[in-house]
Amino acid sequence: KAHGKWGQPIYGKWLVYPEMSAAGLWTTPTDLALFTNEIMLSWNGRSNKVLSREMVNQMLTSHADDVPDMSPFNLDYGLGWYLWNLGNHSYFVHGGDNPEGFQSIVIGLPEKGWGVVIMTNGVNGSSLYFEILYQIASAYGFLPSLRTLAMIGYLIFLILFVLIIWLIAHLVRLIWFKKTDLPENSKKKSVVSQYRRIFFLIILVAIILSAIAYYFSLEIITAMAAGPSSAPSQSLEALGMIERGNLFAQHGMIEEAISAYAEAEIIEPEVNISASDLDILCWNGSLWGHAEDVLSACNRAVELAPDNAGIVDSRGLARALTGDYAGAIEDFTVFVEWCEKTGGDEYYKNLRVYWISELKSGRNPFDEATLMKLR
C-alpha cells in the first residue's frame, strides 16, 4: 500500500499512471539492484547482459555542459542518470517516486562496484531513505565524503568563531587598558598573560567543537534532510480523510472528495481543512462540472487566504461557470495584477486577460475543450 503524508493508506492502495517513464514503471528493490549491478559490471567491461559497455559509458558521461555546477553536491547529468561527484569518486544516482505514496532512490559507485537501492511506501519516504543511506555510509564507507562535507561546514563555523572571540578579546583589552595606569612593563606582561589565556581557551573550545562536529556530522545532515518533525495535534484519521479528499479531487472524483471532507469533519468537528485543501476542491470541482457544488469551498478558501492570488483565481473559475461574470472578472483581475507585480508567468497572465475580455463581452470562455485542457 502507498501511504500519504499523515501515514494513511491512500484510497485504492496505489495509483497506476499511464505515463510509463514518468511514474508508471514498477519493480522491486532486488531487481533494480540487479540492474544497477549490471550497469557497473558493463562499465568495468565485465558483462553486457543488459547494456553494452559503450552504451553504459554514454549513460555515465556528462551530457549537460550548459547545466551550472550545483555545489556543494556537484550534480551533473548523463543519459538517464544524475552524476554525483564527491571527492575523488563519481556516483550515478536516480530518485524515483509515484507522487501519491512511494519514494525511492538508487545510487551506484561503478569504480568499486558499490551500490544501494532503497524503496519506501510513503510520501515522506525520502526522510527515511536518507537516514538509511547515511547509516550505510557510516557502516560501510559508502559515500564517505558526506562526513567530509559536514566537517567542512563545521570548520568554517569554527574559524569564524575563533575570529569573533579574538576580536572581542582585543576590543576588551583596548578598553580595559585605556582605563588603567599600570607601568608600561606591567602592561606588556599583563597583555601577554591575557593573550596566552585567551589562546589556550580558544584551543580548548576548538577541540571540543571539533569532537562534537565529528560525532554528530551525519546525524545533523540526516536531521536537515528529514526537515522539522512535529506530530499533528489533530486526529490522524481526520487528516488522512482530508488527504483522501484531495486525491479524489485531483482525479476528478468530486462527489467522493466532498464526501471525504465531510467525513473528516464528522470524525473531528474542529479539524483544520486548510485554504490549500479547499483550493484543490474548488479548482478541480470547477473543471469537472461541479462548480455549483464547490463554490462554498472556494469562498471559504478565499476567506482563509485573501491575499493568495492563486486561490482567488480558482474561485474566479467557479464564479464564471456559475454565471457570476462580474465576480469572475474581479477574481481574475487580482491574479493578473499579482502576475504583473511579481513577474509571474506571462502565459497564465495572458490567458486570464483573454478570459476577462470574453466575460466582459458576455461570453463564457470555458467550453468543454478549454476545461479539458485545464485539467
Side-chain angles (χ1 to χ4, degrees):
K1 298 176 184 177
H3 292 74
K5 63 182 178 181
W6 303 116
Q8 299 292 323
I10 72 164
Y11 177 78
K13 298 185 180 179
W14 54 75
L15 297 182
V16 178
Y17 286 78
E19 303 89 357
M20 295 293 286
S21 62
L25 290 172
W26 292 71
T27 187
T28 66
T30 301
D31 281 348
L32 188 55
L34 289 171
F35 173 74
T36 304
N37 195 46
E38 285 298 322
I39 292 281
M40 294 188 287
L41 288 171
S42 293
W43 187 86
N44 284 288
R46 294 170 55 196
S47 174
N48 61 354
K49 293 178 184 175
V50 180
L51 296 168
S52 67
R53 187 178 189 184
E54 292 73 22
M55 176 56 70
V56 169
N57 284 338
Q58 286 190 53
M59 294 172 71
L60 303 186
T61 300
S62 172
H63 295 276
D65 294 336
D66 298 329
V67 177
D69 180 39
M70 297 176 66
S71 296
F73 298 109
N74 298 321
L75 279 176
D76 206 340
Y77 300 88
L79 297 180
W81 296 101
Y82 295 106
L83 305 179
W84 193 5
N85 302 303
L86 281 176
N88 298 321
H89 299 299
S90 296
Y91 304 83
F92 60 92
V93 186
H94 209 298
D97 70 279
N98 178 312
E100 300 295 344
F102 297 99
Q103 296 283 332
S104 307
I105 192 169
V106 55
I107 297 179
L109 175 55
E111 299 166 30
K112 294 184 177 290
W114 292 350
V116 58
V117 176
I118 304 170
M119 291 186 172
T120 70
N121 61 333
V123 168
N124 300 320
S126 58
S127 298
L128 176 61
Y129 71 58
F130 273 120
E131 184 176 344
I132 295 170
L133 180 60
Y134 296 145
Q135 292 301 324
I136 292 172
S138 178
Y140 294 100
F142 187 69
L143 296 177
S145 299
L146 286 173
R147 190 176 291 278
T148 303
L149 282 173
M151 285 299 296
I152 289 171
Y154 269 98
L155 287 172
I156 292 171
F157 163 78
L158 188 59
I159 292 168
L160 290 174
F161 177 81
V162 170
L163 289 174
I164 290 169
I165 292 294
W166 192 269
L167 179 61
I168 291 172
H170 186 66
L171 291 174
V172 168
R173 184 187 68 79
L174 289 176
I175 294 169
W176 175 259
F177 286 112
K178 233 178 181 180
K179 298 180 180 179
T180 59
D181 296 318
L182 292 172
E184 196 64 34
N185 287 341
S186 298
K187 284 183 181 180
K188 287 180 180 178
K189 289 180 181 178
S190 180
V191 168
V192 170
S193 177
Q194 287 192 42
Y195 269 127
R196 192 174 291 150
R197 284 196 295 271
I198 291 170
F199 176 75
F200 283 120
L201 177 63
I202 289 172
I203 292 297
L204 179 62
V205 171
I207 291 170
I208 293 171
L209 285 177
S210 297
I212 293 172
Y214 180 78
Y215 185 76
F216 288 107
S217 56
L218 288 185
E219 286 77 2
I220 288 171
I221 288 181
T222 302
M224 291 170 64
S229 60
S230 57
S233 59
Q234 302 178 76
S235 161
L236 286 178
E237 187 180 358
L239 292 170
M241 195 57 65
I242 293 171
E243 191 176 7
R244 178 175 292 187
N246 292 343
L247 181 60
F248 282 139
Q250 288 165 346
H251 291 83
M253 302 166 67
I254 307 306
E255 292 177 358
E256 292 86 345
I258 293 171
S259 296
Y261 293 130
E263 190 170 339
E265 292 182 319
I266 292 171
I267 294 169
E268 185 173 337
E270 300 301 319
V271 68
N272 176 31
I273 302 179
S274 69
S276 61
D277 294 326
L278 293 167
D279 181 51
I280 290 171
L281 178 61
C282 173
W283 178 257
N284 289 285
S286 300
L287 291 179
W288 290 94
H290 293 267
E292 192 74 47
D293 300 327
V294 301
L295 186 56
S296 60
C298 300
N299 289 327
R300 282 176 61 191
V302 173
E303 287 172 11
L304 290 171
D307 297 326
N308 189 312
I311 289 176
V312 174
D313 179 67
S314 295
R315 186 180 67 174
L317 178 62
R319 281 178 160 181
L321 292 170
T322 55
D324 181 7
Y325 288 6
I329 291 169
E330 179 185 340
D331 287 344
F332 291 144
T333 300
V334 168
F335 185 85
V336 170
E337 290 174 349
W338 174 80
C339 285
E340 291 172 345
K341 183 179 179 181
T342 62
D345 192 287
E346 280 292 311
Y347 171 78
Y348 291 111
K349 185 192 83 170
N350 292 335
L351 190 59
R352 270 65 178 177
V353 169
Y354 167 72
W355 292 347
I356 292 169
S357 173
E358 289 292 288
L359 291 168
K360 283 182 177 179
S361 300
R363 295 186 294 270
N364 185 349
F366 301 105
D367 55 20
E368 186 57 33
T370 300
L371 293 174
M372 179 67 74
K373 188 176 180 180
L374 291 171
R375 289 170 192 164

